[in-house]
Amino acid sequence: MNTVIIVLLSLSTVLFIISMFQKDKLSQFETEFEELTMTLLQENHNLKKRIGVLEEELLLEKQLIDAPVLSAKRKASPLVVHEVLKNQVIALHQQGMDLQRIASQSSLPVDTVKHIIKDRQDPAGRMI
């Protein structure tokens, strides 16, 4: 019985020493996984930078293309004015204030002020 215990003990010691010299496959796998993760993160970052550059280029191109169209639309269509602002313009006009002061107080162009006043008058020139 003693010989069996001694043989098992010596066998376990030999196996333990052999396991110390074997490569750790788990640490190798962890290292490869970390490298793969870093590579993917770098590629993702580079793609986001490229997309940002493309978006900026497209935005600049769109602004260059749309700028003449927008300026033509602004000239063609009158400014949309809120009803409260229209009422303020009419009230100031009824108080006898000149168009320049009305335009400066309401932050509207003089042409828009004239248009608002003209729209609120009947054909006889009286305010509606």
Side-chain angles (χ1 to χ4, degrees):
M1 179 79 172
N2 282 341
T3 58
V4 173
I5 292 177
I6 293 175
V7 168
L8 285 176
L9 186 61
S10 61
L11 182 65
S12 68
T13 307
V14 169
L15 288 175
F16 181 72
I17 292 173
I18 291 173
S19 71
M20 294 289 240
F21 292 110
Q22 283 187 339
K23 289 184 179 177
D24 188 14
K25 293 181 180 179
L26 183 61
S27 69
Q28 182 183 2
F29 176 73
E30 287 177 347
T31 306
E32 289 177 7
F33 184 73
E34 287 177 4
E35 289 175 5
L36 178 66
T37 303
M38 290 302 293
T39 304
L40 288 175
L41 286 174
Q42 288 175 348
E43 287 179 11
N44 189 15
H45 178 70
N46 288 337
L47 286 174
K48 285 183 179 181
K49 282 176 34 179
R50 288 180 185 172
I51 288 173
V53 169
L54 286 174
E55 286 175 345
E56 288 177 7
E57 288 177 3
L58 288 174
L59 183 62
L60 289 176
E61 287 178 7
K62 185 176 181 183
Q63 287 176 350
L64 291 175
I65 292 171
D66 290 345
V69 173
L70 287 176
S71 64
K73 282 184 181 179
R74 286 182 186 148
K75 291 178 183 175
S77 64
L79 183 65
V80 177
V81 181
H82 196 275
E83 195 65 33
V84 174
L85 196 52
K86 287 181 183 180
N87 290 336
Q88 178 188 5
V89 168
I90 297 301
L92 292 174
H93 179 70
Q94 287 175 345
Q95 292 173 6
M97 194 174 289
D98 63 300
L99 297 178
Q100 290 292 339
R101 286 187 60 193
I102 294 173
S104 66
Q105 282 190 359
S106 61
S107 301
L108 293 172
V110 177
D111 294 335
T112 305
V113 172
K114 288 179 185 177
H115 184 73
I116 292 171
I117 293 171
K118 188 178 93 175
D119 285 349
R120 293 290 176 120
Q121 292 178 344
D122 63 4
R126 295 174 293 191
M127 292 303 238
I128 301 176

